[in-house]
Amino acid sequence: MSVLVYVENAEGKFKKSTFEVVSYAAAVANQLNTGLTAISIGDVKQEDLSNLGKYGASKVLSVSNDKLKSFVNQAYASVIAEAAQKEDSNVVVLSNSFSGKGLAPRIAVKLKAGLADAAVELPKTEGNKFIIKRTAFSGKAFAHVELNSKVKVIALNPNSYQLQENGSVAGVEDFQANIKESDFGTMVAEIVRASNKIALPDAELVVSAGRGLKGPENWAMIEELASVLGAATACSKPVSDAGWRPHEEHVGQTGIAVSPNLYIAIGISGAIQHLAGVSSSKTIVVINKDPEAPFFKVADYGIVGDAFEVVPKLIEAVKAYKAQS
Amino acid sequence: MKILVCVSNVPDTTTKITFSADNTQFNTAGVQFILNPYDEIALARAIELSEGDKGSVTVIHVGEANAEPTIRKALAIGADDAVRINAAPRDSYFVSAQLANYAKSKGFDMILTGRESIDYNGSQVAAMVGEFLDIPSISIIKKLDIEGNKASLVREIEGGKEVLSVSFPFIASCAEGVAEPKIPNMRGIMSARTKPLEVIEAIEVEKLVSFESYSVPAPRGAVTMLSSDETEKLVSLLHTAAKVI
Ligand SMILES: Cc1cc2nc3c(=O)[nH]c(=O)nc-3n(C[C@H](O)[C@H](O)[C@H](O)COP(=O)(O)OP(=O)(O)OC[C@H]3O[C@@H](n4cnc5c(N)ncnc54)[C@H](O)[C@@H]3O)c2cc1C
Ligand SMILES: Nc1ncnc2c1ncn2[C@@H]1O[C@H](COP(=O)(O)O)[C@@H](O)[C@H]1O
């Protein structure tokens, strides 16, 4: 018996969401009175691997193979499932990241495991029940799902579990995985990363704007507010539909669901489909010129005012705050 | 090009989500069900790729007879024929096993799904079907083109995108960018009534997960309203009270 956690890297580096899944998986292992093994695929520095011990991994399996240099979910799923079998793991934990969404279901089928994705809390383990709270109905509700199978797979939503740093260093072992040629029907031709931008799903702070901004030419102040705060930018659906902003910024029921610490909504009315994607944000600030805008009903702080007047002032206020802190 | 598009039947996006008194059932009374918005995108691309006698588009749904209006809508939009596997769509594993069982011997070049169903939002079906069929699965694509004997796809990743080349057959889940949804025209609506809709019985599938109960997010506390001159106060509250900056 053990818990296995897949530690995703981006260009050889671990992100915060990786430390979150390790912390979460360590807590699950603790609940089950067992140890936590991490599996890493690709070239990550030895030091970063053993550092995972800090978040509770007791052992790290490192898979380094030329064929696995770029992410091919079919092949990665085979490697992770193989490790789970070798480690006799009864729980496999991953991040519900874009890659995780392509991996977790394949691993679940391979291991005949019940899958709880979009998990937001630790499992409730009463008797021999194992129940996980996950988001459903696009963030409008939660479902509590019981995993009945012997092996269980959990994909944890980013930003839903606090980092726990109380471990030490982990031992790192090479893991020789069985590589199947037939797993490589997909080939990565190119990766394009928007440089120096904070990825929306991972962001702790988000500045989002809607049709109230009138046109794409007015986004400079939104970008500036985001940059002084160190936030990601987002938008409502009509804004991305009109091509004012790229689709990957579209938040809501049919876009990305975010759960940042702070979501600032500027010139967004607060339609139910938009709110679905932001309702698990910790703090919501709404700036809208219409006091009747429905967004105020779910806001923590609200300013009724013209965005073109309020946002520049807010930028100055943030700058002043940053300067003195 | 023989394409299969998987469609789900979901509550309209304006639905206020409520549950039975014991929180174990989703209240469907008065709820309007629609074709999942992402599946419309997948369907639109499938139709584009098969236009001009270049192929055929079959839609498939795992569900009960009450989903037939949604299936007919997919036919009205332009699918050639439809299949319904007659069973309540219990969970993604169950649905995927049914879809894979149907597709395994039919020789589809490409299977498309939506990025996620807007009710249970697993984003699970595409990758599960891919695993059952042992074919490549690509989750959350933003672009899909055919280039000779391969397909070129663009997949979303954190903070960027990945361009992929995939051999046939494969399954992919479609998000915005892949195509613009199509609105059925009069001729489509008329012809949808007579297009073939085959009903197939479901296979047995082991139950790995069960939905125990549901809950709704805790209501937020009262909003603190500030005037447009109080941006400094807002920043200070975000620091001291909300502790988010
Ligand atoms: C199937 C379906 C799915 C959908 N999915 C999504 C989704 O995922 N995400 C999403 O966002 N929407 C979604 N929508 C659309 C949604 O219903 C709303 O239409 C949309 O969210 C409105 O965007 P908005 O608030 O930017 O624009 P509007 O509704 O036009 O609101 C603009 C707001 O800006 C304010 N304003 C105007 N000028 C100023 C100013 N100078 N200063 C300050 N405030 C100003 C106005 O008071 C108004 O409240 C979906 C709709 C459907 C039918
Ligand atoms: N009952 C169903 N029948 C057919 N296809 C489905 C069904 N449920 C989900 N799908 C497909 O799988 C996609 C992802 O669904 P999910 O994994 O539930 O988020 C949907 O967009 C549909 O294309």
Side-chain angles (χ1 to χ4, degrees), chain A:
Chain A
M1 178 151 130
S2 73
V3 173
L4 182 74
V5 60
Y6 167 60
V7 288
E8 183 179 331
N9 72 75
E11 288 162 348
K13 289 261 183 301
F14 292 134
K15 294 178 305 182
K16 183 169 155 263
S17 58
T18 303
F19 304 132
E20 284 168 5
V21 284
V22 178
S23 303
Y24 178 93
V28 176
N30 199 24
Q31 282 180 326
L32 301 175
N33 261 320
T34 180
L36 175 64
T37 303
I39 177 159
S40 162
I41 305 177
D43 293 327
V44 180
K45 278 210 231 83
Q46 197 75 8
E47 181 191 336
D48 292 342
L49 291 172
S50 54
N51 210 13
L52 294 171
K54 209 162 79 184
Y55 302 95
S58 36
K59 172 165 89 175
V60 182
L61 305 177
S62 169
V63 186
S64 189
N65 184 306
D66 274 352
K67 293 225 66 162
L68 298 170
K69 270 212 165 3
S70 47
F71 175 77
V72 172
N73 63 337
Q74 210 174 346
Y76 275 43
S78 293
V79 171
I80 297 166
E82 188 188 339
Q85 275 156 346
K86 285 231 169 91
E87 291 291 307
D88 190 23
S89 308
N90 34 6
V91 181
V92 179
V93 181
L94 304 85
S95 168
N96 196 33
S97 60
F98 286 112
S99 299
K101 284 184 210 273
L103 270 177
R106 294 200 79 119
I107 296 171
V109 172
K110 279 183 196 290
L111 299 174
K112 257 188 174 253
L115 166 61
D117 63 348
V120 294
E121 273 178 16
L122 283 176
K124 296 251 175 331
T125 50
E126 295 142 18
N128 45 20
K129 285 200 168 184
F130 192 93
I131 299 172
I132 305 239
K133 180 176 177 181
R134 50 157 300 193
T135 61
F137 296 97
S138 311
K140 292 177 183 172
F142 297 103
H144 303 259
V145 292
E146 183 184 349
L147 304 184
N148 317 109
S149 49
K150 180 170 167 277
V151 182
K152 302 159 176 76
V153 178
I154 305 173
L156 177 72
N157 264 1
N159 270 333
S160 44
Y161 195 76
Q162 284 284 321
L163 299 186
Q164 307 287 330
E165 295 183 33
N166 37 28
S168 53
V169 289
V172 181
E173 296 173 13
D174 277 331
F175 181 70
Q176 299 295 340
N178 247 323
I179 308 282
K180 274 201 316 198
E181 242 359 273
S182 59
D183 274 348
F184 292 86
T186 314
M187 252 187 47
V188 178
E190 192 192 353
I191 295 181
V192 187
R193 276 184 210 279
S195 55
N196 67 43
K197 277 207 71 174
I198 298 167
L200 187 54
D202 299 331
E204 290 182 39
L205 309 175
V206 175
V207 176
S208 186
R211 206 147 54 178
L213 270 262
K214 310 281 189 286
E217 66 282 4
N218 295 326
W219 247 263
M221 64 178 187
I222 301 300
E223 302 248 355
E224 186 177 0
L225 178 58
S227 117
V228 293
L229 277 168
T233 49
C235 67
S236 66
K237 181 173 183 329
V239 164
S240 64
D241 283 349
W244 298 358
R245 299 296 293 175
H247 276 306
E248 53 267 27
E249 284 198 0
H250 155 201
V251 160
Q253 181 156 16
T254 50
I256 289 181
V258 294
S259 53
N261 292 337
L262 175 62
Y263 187 83
I264 305 183
I266 303 163
I268 305 178
S269 57
I272 186 167
Q273 297 97 344
H274 187 85
L275 298 183
V278 305
S279 58
S280 54
S281 307
K282 289 188 188 71
T283 299
I284 294 180
V285 173
V286 171
I287 300 170
N288 196 303
K289 69 172 185 194
D290 174 8
E292 302 298 322
F295 222 138
F296 286 118
K297 292 206 178 67
V298 299
D300 299 288
Y301 301 98
I303 294 182
V304 177
D306 185 343
F308 296 97
E309 185 197 323
V310 179
V311 175
K313 279 195 218 158
L314 184 54
I315 292 169
E316 290 316 310
V318 174
K319 280 186 182 160
Y321 160 76
K322 293 272 173 187
Q324 47 99 5
S325 66

Side-chain angles (χ1 to χ4, degrees), chain B residues 35-223:
Chain B
L35 175 57
N36 188 36
Y38 294 116
D39 305 355
E40 291 196 28
I41 295 174
L43 179 60
R45 189 63 187 140
I47 292 167
E48 286 167 9
L49 291 174
S50 67
E51 252 158 16
D53 288 334
K54 286 209 292 287
S56 65
V57 178
T58 301
V59 291
I60 185 165
H61 173 68
V62 180
E64 292 167 307
N66 57 8
E68 290 204 356
T70 288
I71 301 174
R72 291 283 172 207
K73 175 160 184 207
L75 290 170
I77 291 171
D80 298 293
D81 54 6
V83 176
R84 179 170 67 81
I85 299 180
N86 188 28
R90 197 172 77 195
D91 58 63
S92 306
Y93 186 82
F94 176 84
V95 167
S96 306
Q98 306 297 340
L99 295 171
N101 181 59
Y102 171 80
K104 67 173 189 253
S105 54
K106 301 286 189 301
F108 290 105
D109 300 295
M110 193 192 302
I111 306 177
L112 299 180
T113 75
R115 160 198 178 137
E116 64 187 33
S117 55
I118 62 166
D119 47 3
Y120 296 98
N121 335 89
S123 291
Q124 299 183 3
V125 167
M128 282 191 175
V129 173
E131 186 59 38
F132 278 121
L133 296 175
D134 201 16
I135 58 173
S137 63
I138 303 90
S139 294
I140 314 193
I141 61 168
K142 297 152 56 113
K143 216 166 170 306
L144 162 59
D145 292 298
I146 293 175
E147 287 172 1
N149 60 355
K150 295 219 164 190
S152 166
L153 312 182
V154 175
R155 175 177 85 93
E156 189 154 357
I157 58 175
E158 280 75 10
K161 59 185 185 180
E162 203 172 78
V163 185
L164 302 161
S165 153
V166 189
S167 51
F168 296 104
F170 66 86
I171 181 164
S173 72
C174 303
E176 278 151 319
V178 167
E180 282 304 317
K182 289 188 196 310
I183 295 157
N185 57 25
M186 211 48 216
R187 207 167 52 112
I189 295 167
M190 298 305 288
S191 65
R193 295 192 195 146
T194 53
K195 284 181 180 170
L197 193 175
E198 187 188 356
V199 179
I200 299 178
E201 287 313 312
I203 55 166
E204 288 272 334
V205 177
E206 197 180 330
K207 191 164 184 175
L208 303 178
V209 305
S210 42
F211 286 81
E212 278 276 300
S213 63
Y214 298 91
S215 57
V216 290
R220 281 177 189 273
V223 53

